[in-house]
Amino acid sequence: MSPAVGARVPLLPKNKPVRRATVSGAVFNVSTSIIGAGIMSIPATLKVLGVIPAFLLIVIIAFLADVSVEFLMRFTHSGESTTYAGVMRESFGQVGSVATQICVMITNLGCLIMYQIIIGDVLSGNGSSGTGHSGVLQEWFGIQWWNSRDIAILFTLVFIFLPLVLLRRVESLKYSSAIAVLLAVVFVGISSAMAIYAIFEGKTSNPKLIPSLDKQTSFFDLFTAVPVIVTAFTFHFNVHPIGFELGKPSDMISAVRISLVLCAAIYFSIGLFGYLLFGDAIMSDILVNFDKSSDSAMGALLNDVVRLSYALHLMLVFPLLNFSLRVNLDELLFPKKPLLATDTRRFVILTLGLLVFSYLAAIAFPNIWYIFQFLGSTSAVCLAFIFPGAIVLRDVHGISTRRDRIMATIMVFLAVVTSAIAISTNIYNFFGTKS
């Protein structure tokens, strides 16, 4: 995805020769942007929807994600902007730009806080509620001061997050992204092997192929699964940073499509085998199921490997989400300042500020699952579907075809309706449970 004529690339210095990124690196970075914390909740969506509707929903949302990215790229190259917020500014003025920046910041900052919470849960457990559990480090070494939750997250922040977030090019993260994808595959592979073994042992129950509506599950509850999968496929905030380091727009299209196929396969695999493994006992966070004590040493070892592999995966996803968060925050706060990559002082201050804030939030609020649940219904669905569809319908460059407008209308309509129903149902269930 090369810059439009006369456009400036906001992430790279002007005076240095630009070394183009590779398609393989872009595939790893896009795939890592997609596979985040959402993978943990995919198995629970199969319990709610049934196997067949969940598979169809994953395919549909992956297809719509591909269409929306194509819309974004086409309108980017027809204008002068090189960022998502800039494309929205060309279509809707300053309001569109600020709305995009706020959505990116809400989505990414919420995810970064959640990642640190999950990492803390895996390493040091969570004893803040009645369902508290010990972490891997505490199970191995007992409860020590150095494996407490605060220290474990701080150690991760200083020695893993900080060196990666100080890199100024997305392409520089391709190796860490490749490892992150490999760890996700390990997570799925071990879960699949455990599920297959359980099938031969006769320890699995028959999965529901279609949803069953009863007193616990209403028709509207089915819509609460949609935002989970939408969030799982929301990577649009990194389309421009990754794409503009490639040589051709067609390279980014190829990278996105390969990544979507790969990630859809990973999502459905972990969903199916996770559901087979735990059945209706599957939790909204599948890692909680792996926390349960095993009846064998090998089972306990596999549980620890699954949990640690996923925690390491999140550690390597963190810098990619931080990258776009930092760029959008800088664009919002300092729109007339020089390029962020050329201003070392501003770059370091923003980087450290975001790390410190997300760390303090993760420590202060050890459980923000309800906030994370609403991300897919609000900011994430705007970035993934509503904003790209609105850009096509606005059509400031006069390049939308009749097919584009029909697809954009369907995309926006489905996003608004399903999100409104999901938000209403979540609010009703939340206050209904409280009462």
Side-chain angles (χ1 to χ4, degrees), residues 208-270:
K208 293 181 295 188
L209 296 181
I210 58 175
S212 59
L213 303 179
D214 50 33
K215 293 182 179 180
Q216 283 75 36
T217 305
S218 69
F219 173 75
F220 293 106
D221 286 327
L222 303 180
F223 287 88
T224 61
V226 177
V228 174
I229 301 180
V230 169
T231 304
F233 279 102
T234 300
F235 62 100
H236 301 65
F237 43 77
N238 268 338
V239 167
H240 291 82
I242 295 172
F244 271 96
E245 291 185 7
L246 288 169
K248 299 181 296 182
S250 59
D251 289 343
M252 188 58 181
I253 293 175
S254 300
V256 167
R257 289 178 178 168
I258 293 171
S259 299
L260 286 171
V261 171
L262 172 64
C263 294
I266 289 175
Y267 281 153
F268 184 69
S269 297
I270 187 59

Side-chain angles (χ1 to χ4, degrees), residues 374-386:
F374 281 98
L375 289 181
S377 305
T378 53
S379 58
V381 77
C382 287
L383 292 173
F385 302 126
I386 295 177

Side-chain angles (χ1 to χ4, degrees), residues 42-43 101 105 164 166 199 208 277 382 392 402 407 429:
I42 295 293
Q101 292 162 344
M105 288 186 285
L164 291 174
L166 287 175
I199 291 174
K208 293 181 295 188
L277 186 59
C382 287
V392 171
R402 184 171 179 270
M407 182 61 72
N429 290 339

Side-chain angles (χ1 to χ4, degrees), residues 223 226-227 230 374 376-378 381-382 386 413-426:
F223 287 88
V226 177
V230 169
F374 281 98
S377 305
T378 53
V381 77
C382 287
I386 295 177
F413 176 78
L414 291 177
V416 171
V417 171
T418 56
S419 294
I421 295 175
I423 292 171
S424 302
T425 305
N426 278 325

Side-chain angles (χ1 to χ4, degrees), residues 194 290 292-306:
M194 293 173 70
F290 284 107
K292 308 303 180 184
S293 58
S294 177
D295 54 3
S296 68
M298 179 58 68
L301 176 61
L302 288 176
N303 285 348
D304 288 345
V305 171
V306 167

Side-chain angles (χ1 to χ4, degrees), residues 143-186:
I143 299 178
Q144 308 289 339
W145 69 268
W146 53 266
N147 62 20
S148 66
R149 184 184 184 83
D150 298 5
I151 299 299
I153 298 177
L154 180 62
F155 182 91
T156 302
L157 185 146
V158 173
F159 292 101
I160 298 179
F161 292 161
L162 184 59
L164 291 174
V165 299
L166 287 175
L167 297 173
R168 304 198 186 194
R169 296 191 69 212
V170 179
E171 173 71 3
S172 302
L173 297 170
K174 66 180 180 180
Y175 298 113
S176 62
S177 294
I179 297 172
V181 173
L182 176 61
L183 288 170
V185 172
V186 169

